Amino acid sequence: MATFTARMAPLLVVGLALCLSGTWAVDKGNFKTCEQSAFCKRQRALKPGESPYRALLETMELTNTRLTLQLINDNNKVRLLLELYRLQGNITRVKINELKPLKPRYEVPDVLIREPTTEPLSVLSQDENGVVLSLGVESQRVIISARPFRLDIMEGSDVLMSLNSRGLLAFEHLRMRKDTFSYKVTSTVASVWDNIKRVFSSQADPEAEKKEEADPANQAETTKEEEEKVEDGMWEETFKSHTDSKPNGPSAVSLDFSLPGVEHVYGIPEHADTLRLKTTDNGDPYRLYNLDVFQYELYNPMALYGSVPVMVAHSAQRTTGIFWLNAAETWVDISSNTAGKTVFGKMLDYVQGSSETPQTDVRWISESGIIDVFIMLGPTPKDVFSQYASLTGTQSFPPLASLGYHQCRWNYNDQEDVKSVDAGFDEHDIPYDFIWLDIEHTDGKRYFTWDPHKFATPKEMLQGLMDKKRKMVAIVDPHIKVDSNYKIHNEIRTLGFYVKNKDGGDYEGWCWPGSASYPDFTRADMRAWWASMFAYDQYEGTMENLYTWNDMNEPSVFNGPEVTMHKDAMHGSWEHRDIHNLYGLYVQMATAEGLIQRSGGVERPFVLTRAFFAGSQRIGAVWTGDNAAEWDHLKISIPMCLSMGLVGISFCGADIGGFFKSPSTELLVRWYQAGAYQPFYRAHAHLDTPRREPWLFGPENTALIREAVRQRYTFLPYWYQLFYRAHVTGEPVMRPLWVEYPQDLATFALEDEYLIGRDLLVHPVVEEGARGVTAYLPGKDEVWFDVHTFQKHNGAQNLYIPVTMSSIPVFQRGGSIIPRKLRVRRSSTCMEHDPYTLYVALNLQRTADGELYIDDGHTFNYEKKEFIYRKLTFANKVLSSVNLAPDAKFTTDSWIERIIVLGASKPSKVTLKTADGQEKQLEFDFDASMSVLTVRKPGMNAGADWTVTFQ
């Protein structure tokens, strides 16, 4: 029987997977709607109106670090504790918890990089109706209204944001269940004792009854009114064949936010939807609940693999953000008073002098935990990015090689297959940096192992790649095969590190290995143990050029509710419902730490994750999951990655060509072209799809793909510098146009084009059979240069661009300088010492500038100031390079081999002056028809001070 089970387990898992994937289309019936999620249905049934909560101003306490104030629900007399903090950097924090909960409620750890620095609040005025506090920034203040409770943040006479203005604050307090014998006995005894107390205390104090009502000590009791309102799903909930036991009963929290003057909100990834979030009045709210969704459906608010509970609101006047720090299942409702109005209708309002101010209302609903919200007050987009980064950290600084091209599929069959694919890239002159191995490389889906027949000598394979300065990524998933002959399983079980089921045993579910258990990554000791497994003497066959991919870490449980873990599974004293959206972050965190530790803390890790949460940006890369070989999936990759960038996760990409199904050659080529200008650049494909290495579609298509990949490599210096800036500042690498043009209304809903940094505008071709695209070039004072033809175009126009199959519409902003490397070799590491070409795009109305960042490309030595950071400037006909980090120490063998000036006039001579005072005349060519000046072989070191004068 044991043998039969062992043989059948993989087949059963494949069967389950096929049932889930079906005809390669999502089965929406596997996943809940709001109506099927008891707490969402219950909370959404509450309609806007007067809030039952009021602020008890007499309980207010103000210290140097915070304000505290009790709130009372007049319907059930339950008290809450409001904490208000003014944080450094123009951030306001609001926390609401039960004043005296039956047991502690979950507060999310490990996401904030530190306890935020507070700044003093001061009372400006106070009366029986409320209190006014200064936020210390110009005329910013907080107004707390008492009856009903409401909180407004104002600047001058403008309301920036209101909390509970629609009366939708809801806080389901923890309570004892009425239908248990122990509770009945307890409550009877308590009731008798309360009556005795009441009799005696009333004789002594006529105010006793009033005090009793106001006494918060008995918060756990349920009023008769509440008893009558007990609904299905409060203490137990069934979805399909799964029952959630809910031992703590109802514990949802909810709060509404009103944003006057705002019509555009963004963020809260991950959803396969438009960049600008839609109103949800006529459908489901946006759901944040990490789930393994096979070939997800587009343009709807269903939950996907990751959740970042951050929303960015933008108008021409201001940008703000809301960070809802809660890791439980969360739904976000959005409504707007301008939703549904046509452009004509809005114009009519304007002509008729309509006084209605646009407003967006947002409501957050979470199943458990507390309300802990950070309000980021901008006022600019980059201020919001900085504010969020100060809370959760910036994008990790990736190894340079990870910004190159990645070749992956499920699965490369064996070492010979890997060797053949690697050789194919050389034969067809296509660069790449990483080749990937999916789950089939392991010994029976036992992670940290190799198939003894197909990958018998992994070090030999890795050494062959290293000899070519290439690398590999192997998958390590968090579901562990239950097998007494498997070292990893035995150690985790012995140490007691598995997640437990509600009865205290090790939680088991089905995943790729068959029966599997799941390590409790919420435990620091478990994460430390997991990290230690990446040591070279533990993870046999590994070398320093092997990196890691964490998939299925939502976590995915094939036979679990909604293909994930049961909510009543236990992580120590906390239910899985409390921590669910954190699980993937913890898996990636432990894995990255393992890669760092194995190198003695020297090497930067590269870890790709599918599941993520707020803070995942500081660990590694993310991809958009199991997409399909369809044109709409190519299109949606743009807003999906833009949304992630807005909430800190810059290192994002989509599977080139689509994971499911087989792309047409046209779609595949267009996807390679689009992917070349997105941060994470990886091709991937399903096990059942035909092979699709870049050279398998005929010489003409091979040439087109080669050109796209080579373009990526020429821009690697620019990508690397942008990731350094993202690491330092929190600014997204790939960004919507409105980030740089915040007052240009035409940019607010654009999602078919985007900026890379400040200076490259990309409009990929994403329509089948396209013969042209229309790109919006922003900025009435801007000029834009086609990076391929150098043709100049004015800003503030819609430009029609004829396209062929070789076209990738990309424009460089006039007033910028972009360093590139034009000598493309087999991998990025092979290009390390190669020279730079500087592309100087002029705008006669302003100085042109740019940056050049150089370090060793792979270690943490940049933290010790071992790097070169140069400011490049073109002003008054002088191009100069000055040191932005005089205290940094690093040398490079790279030099400047060419300077190309776009929008130039012909000089009589060009003179180089180096830091030691030497001068020399430089050769140049001038194309008068295109106004392009090319200076050849200036030869100065890329890390030196110099000037080039154009006379």
Side-chain angles (χ1 to χ4, degrees):
M1 185 65 183
T3 306
F4 170 79
T5 304
R7 285 180 177 174
M8 286 302 293
L11 295 175
L12 288 168
V13 172
V14 170
L16 275 164
L18 288 173
C19 288
L20 289 167
S21 58
T23 56
W24 282 351
V26 66
D27 180 357
K28 294 173 72 172
N30 282 325
F31 306 102
K32 289 183 181 180
T33 62
C34 179
E35 187 72 14
Q36 295 168 316
S37 179
F39 81 93
C40 183
K41 179 181 179 181
R42 199 163 59 241
Q43 293 301 317
R44 214 181 188 203
L46 300 176
K47 300 303 179 187
E50 183 159 317
S51 175
Y53 290 94
R54 59 185 167 91
L56 301 174
L57 296 178
E58 67 275 13
T59 66
M60 187 178 81
E61 295 181 15
L62 184 63
T63 68
N64 281 337
T65 58
R66 68 173 183 168
L67 174 144
T68 60
L69 180 67
Q70 291 180 30
L71 309 177
I72 190 167
N73 183 329
D74 281 331
N75 290 343
N76 59 21
K77 308 307 177 189
V78 172
R79 293 196 184 194
L80 306 177
L81 180 66
L82 167 76
E83 298 175 68
L84 180 69
Y85 301 83
R86 173 187 162 208
L87 303 183
Q88 196 174 72
N90 207 15
I91 306 169
T92 299
R93 183 181 194 180
V94 177
K95 291 180 74 174
I96 302 176
N97 198 351
E98 292 184 57
L99 180 64
K100 292 187 176 181
L102 265 183
K103 57 189 287 190
R105 296 179 68 116
Y106 190 71
E107 298 187 38
V108 176
D110 302 317
V111 168
L112 301 180
I113 53 175
R114 65 181 71 87
E115 192 59 30
T117 304
T118 59
E119 295 182 338
L121 288 160
S122 59
V123 175
L124 296 176
S125 64
Q126 181 178 356
D127 60 23
E128 69 278 7
N129 296 315
V131 59
V132 181
L133 301 146
S134 170
L135 285 177
V137 180
E138 296 178 1
S139 56
Q140 280 186 10
R141 59 201 186 281
V142 173
I143 301 173
I144 300 175
S145 302
R147 188 191 289 268
F149 164 68
R150 171 176 169 150
L151 190 151
D152 293 280
I153 300 176
M154 300 191 67
E155 186 172 271
S157 59
D158 296 327
V159 178
L160 303 182
M161 195 177 300
S162 299
L163 283 63
N164 202 36
S165 60
R166 296 192 298 150
L168 292 172
L169 167 62
F171 208 105
E172 294 182 333
H173 62 285
L174 300 179
R175 65 202 80 177
M176 299 292 287
R177 188 169 185 173
K178 290 292 186 184
D179 59 355
T180 62
F181 175 77
S182 62
Y183 177 73
K184 286 178 180 175
V185 172
T186 305
S187 62
T188 301
V189 172
S191 179
V192 171
W193 179 243
D194 286 346
N195 286 332
I196 293 170
K197 284 198 298 179
R198 188 175 289 112
V199 169
F200 285 99
S201 62
S202 297
Q203 292 171 355
D205 182 0
E207 295 295 311
E209 218 167 60
K210 228 178 260 184
K211 288 181 179 177
E212 178 75 295
E213 182 182 297
D215 184 359
N218 289 321
Q219 296 234 347
E221 292 191 11
T222 307
T223 65
K224 285 188 177 179
E225 184 182 348
E226 284 182 293
E227 283 181 49
E228 292 164 6
K229 289 184 179 178
V230 171
E231 300 169 20
D232 289 344
M234 291 178 72
W235 293 93
E236 186 175 272
E237 183 175 357
T238 299
F239 178 68
K240 302 189 84 168
S241 62
H242 300 283
T243 298
D244 175 10
S245 64
K246 297 195 177 182
N248 295 317
S251 57
V253 298
S254 171
L255 184 59
D256 63 279
F257 299 78
S258 293
L259 305 166
V262 170
E263 294 184 79
H264 295 78
V265 289
Y266 311 88
I268 57 168
E270 182 177 31
H271 300 98
D273 207 351
T274 53
L275 174 62
R276 178 194 180 186
L277 298 171
K278 299 169 182 171
T279 57
T280 59
D281 297 328
N282 298 316
D284 259 9
Y286 284 95
R287 191 183 187 199
L288 295 172
Y289 190 60
N290 295 0
L291 292 172
D292 179 0
V293 183
F294 284 77
Q295 197 195 321
Y296 44 84
E297 191 174 293
L298 306 186
Y299 302 108
N300 73 47
M302 283 179 66
L304 288 180
Y305 312 97
S307 301
V308 183
V310 175
M311 181 178 289
V312 177
H314 179 70
S315 71
Q317 288 72 44
R318 192 178 199 97
T319 310
T320 56
I322 300 170
F323 172 28
W324 177 268
L325 183 53
N326 189 300
E329 178 186 348
T330 297
W331 299 78
V332 185
D333 253 326
I334 301 169
S335 58
S336 167
N337 62 2
T338 58
K341 282 192 179 180
T342 62
V343 173
F344 176 76
K346 292 180 183 180
M347 288 175 63
L348 194 62
D349 285 348
Y350 178 77
V351 170
Q352 294 176 345
S354 172
S355 60
E356 185 179 33
T357 301
Q359 179 168 303
T360 296
D361 297 308
V362 180
R363 186 186 185 194
W364 300 74
I365 305 169
S366 291
E367 184 175 14
S368 64
I370 68 167
I371 292 172
D372 189 1
V373 62
F374 297 82
I375 300 163
M376 299 169 285
L377 295 172
T380 70
K382 291 182 182 178
D383 288 331
V384 171
F385 302 146
S386 175
Q387 288 155 1
Y388 180 61
S390 75
L391 298 171
T392 66
T394 60
Q395 174 66 54
S396 62
F397 191 25
L400 173 59
S402 66
L403 299 178
Y405 173 66
H406 300 250
Q407 181 67 34
C408 182
R409 79 171 277 110
W410 176 27
N411 202 84
Y412 286 119
N413 300 322
D414 50 33
Q415 286 182 213
E416 192 57 41
D417 197 7
V418 170
K419 188 175 181 180
S420 173
V421 172
D422 174 70
F425 278 89
D426 293 335
E427 180 184 344
H428 296 92
D429 195 23
I430 301 173
Y432 89 95
D433 271 88
F434 285 82
I435 190 166
W436 292 52
L437 295 180
D438 210 318
I439 55 177
E440 310 303 331
H441 83 277
T442 61
D443 181 7
K445 314 298 189 299
R446 298 170 182 86
Y447 303 106
F448 299 99
T449 70
W450 303 86
D451 185 299
H453 306 292
K454 297 178 179 179
F455 294 91
T457 54
K459 280 192 175 181
E460 179 183 311
M461 172 180 64
L462 289 166
Q463 186 61 53
L465 293 170
M466 186 177 286
D467 290 345
K468 293 184 174 184
K469 299 189 176 179
R470 287 174 174 153
K471 300 167 176 61
M472 174 172 275
V473 171
I475 200 166
V476 177
D477 287 348
H479 49 261
I480 302 301
K481 183 178 178 67
V482 175
D483 176 0
S484 59
N485 295 315
Y486 179 25
K487 180 188 81 167
I488 297 292
H489 165 68
N490 288 337
E491 289 198 27
I492 296 175
R493 183 180 57 186
T494 300
L495 292 166
F497 283 167
Y498 278 130
V499 175
K500 306 302 179 188
N501 60 37
K502 64 180 180 179
D503 300 316
D506 289 346
Y507 179 89
E508 286 190 27
W510 282 79
C511 209
W512 295 124
S515 186
S517 285
Y518 293 75
D520 186 356
F521 285 92
T522 67
R523 297 180 55 158
D525 51 359
M526 166 60 217
R527 296 196 300 272
W529 177 87
W530 181 268
S532 73
M533 290 299 100
F534 289 89
Y536 297 123
D537 61 350
Q538 293 289 334
Y539 189 173
E540 294 180 10
T542 62
M543 293 174 57
E544 57 267 33
N545 64 332
L546 181 69
Y547 296 81
T548 309
W549 171 18
N550 293 147
D551 196 3
M552 316 296 286
N553 55 338
E554 293 74 26
S556 178
V557 183
F558 289 162
N559 63 335
E562 300 193 87
V563 202
T564 193
M565 188 172 285
H566 292 72
K567 287 181 175 179
D568 54 10
M570 298 300 295
H571 301 259
S573 60
W574 299 109
E575 286 189 285
H576 185 72
R577 86 179 70 251
D578 299 312
I579 69 94
H580 176 84
N581 288 341
L582 283 174
Y583 192 85
L585 175 143
Y586 277 133
V587 174
Q588 190 188 21
M589 182 188 296
T591 301
E593 185 58 34
L595 298 190
I596 294 169
Q597 286 180 12
R598 74 177 186 181
S599 72
V602 173
E603 297 290 329
R604 285 177 246 166
F606 172 74
V607 181
L608 180 73
T609 182
R610 189 169 71 176
F612 53 87
F613 190 66
S616 290
Q617 71 273 8
R618 63 180 188 257
I619 305 169
V622 167
W623 94 106
T624 62
D626 296 342
N627 59 1
E630 298 172 1
W631 286 93
D632 279 348
H633 277 263
L634 168 57
K635 292 175 196 172
I636 207 74
S637 69
I638 300 172
M640 288 182 77
C641 280
L642 287 173
S643 295
M644 288 197 218
L646 289 174
V647 299
I649 301 176
S650 273
F651 207 176
C652 169
D655 286 345
I656 304 299
F659 177 68
F660 288 114
K661 305 184 180 180
S662 298
S664 66
T665 53
E666 182 189 3
L667 175 58
L668 184 65
V669 168
R670 290 301 191 197
W671 215 319
Y672 266 101
Q673 293 170 341
Y677 290 91
Q678 292 179 4
F680 178 54
Y681 192 25
R682 181 186 76 153
H684 187 35
H686 189 277
L687 184 72
D688 293 332
T689 61
R691 295 289 285 256
R692 60 167 91 139
E693 283 73 41
W695 50 87
L696 296 179
F697 300 87
E700 188 176 318
N701 290 305
T702 300
L704 292 169
I705 293 171
R706 177 191 302 115
E707 175 56 25
V709 177
R710 289 173 68 87
Q711 282 185 38
R712 170 60 167 230
Y713 276 77
T714 67
F715 278 107
L716 282 180
Y718 184 61
W719 282 107
Y720 196 52
Q721 176 257 320
L722 289 175
F723 268 94
Y724 177 72
R725 279 194 62 84
H727 180 59
V728 171
T729 69
E731 294 175 12
V733 171
M734 177 181 174
R735 58 189 71 158
L737 273 62
W738 60 259
V739 169
E740 296 296 335
Y741 301 91
Q743 296 180 314
D744 187 344
L745 294 163
T747 67
F748 289 7
L750 279 181
E751 62 179 28
D752 57 356
E753 64 183 79
Y754 53 91
L755 293 167
I756 301 171
R758 180 192 62 175
D759 296 331
L760 276 187
L761 185 152
V762 185
H763 191 302
V765 180
V766 295
E767 296 284 351
E768 185 175 12
R771 296 186 178 183
V773 299
T774 299
Y776 178 69
L777 303 181
K780 62 182 175 63
D781 296 323
E782 300 282 22
V783 292
W784 296 88
F785 293 88
D786 185 312
V787 300
H788 311 296
T789 66
F790 303 148
Q791 188 170 349
K792 177 180 172 181
H793 305 280
N794 291 325
Q797 68 158 317
N798 288 298
L799 178 69
Y800 179 77
I801 308 155
V803 298
T804 65
M805 277 306 297
S806 65
S807 302
I808 314 176
V810 182
F811 301 87
Q812 181 174 344
R813 187 183 64 85
S816 67
I817 303 173
I818 294 181
R820 295 169 65 179
K821 285 190 173 184
L822 302 186
R823 302 188 188 186
V824 177
R825 303 185 192 274
R826 63 161 58 119
S827 72
S828 62
T829 308
C830 293
M831 298 166 62
E832 179 181 3
H833 303 298
D834 283 348
Y836 293 88
T837 294
L838 303 181
Y839 284 79
V840 182
L842 297 184
N843 181 336
L844 299 181
Q845 298 187 44
R846 65 169 66 99
T847 297
D849 59 21
E851 294 175 352
L852 175 60
Y853 177 86
I854 307 171
D855 63 15
D856 63 24
H858 58 95
T859 74
F860 285 106
N861 289 348
Y862 71 90
E863 294 180 346
K864 304 175 187 176
K865 295 286 188 179
E866 294 184 18
F867 59 80
I868 292 166
Y869 196 23
R870 311 290 304 180
K871 178 77 168 181
L872 305 169
T873 307
F874 188 101
N876 301 318
K877 298 186 178 181
V878 176
L879 176 64
S880 62
S881 173
V882 297
N883 197 349
L884 280 174
D887 55 340
K889 305 293 181 188
F890 191 73
T891 58
T892 180
D893 292 334
S894 297
W895 69 100
I896 310 299
E897 71 168 345
R898 190 181 296 107
I899 300 167
I900 298 176
V901 186
L902 312 180
S905 53
K906 184 177 182 179
S908 57
K909 63 179 180 178
V910 179
T911 306
L912 168 67
K913 185 175 182 179
T914 54
D916 58 8
Q918 294 188 30
E919 294 188 8
K920 74 170 182 176
Q921 302 299 308
L922 300 178
E923 299 177 7
F924 65 89
D925 296 324
F926 182 70
D927 181 345
S929 66
M930 297 300 294
S931 298
V932 176
L933 175 69
T934 302
V935 179
R936 304 191 183 283
K937 300 180 182 178
M940 54 283 203
N941 186 275
D945 290 343
W946 49 262
T947 61
V948 174
T949 303
F950 300 81
Q951 295 174 306

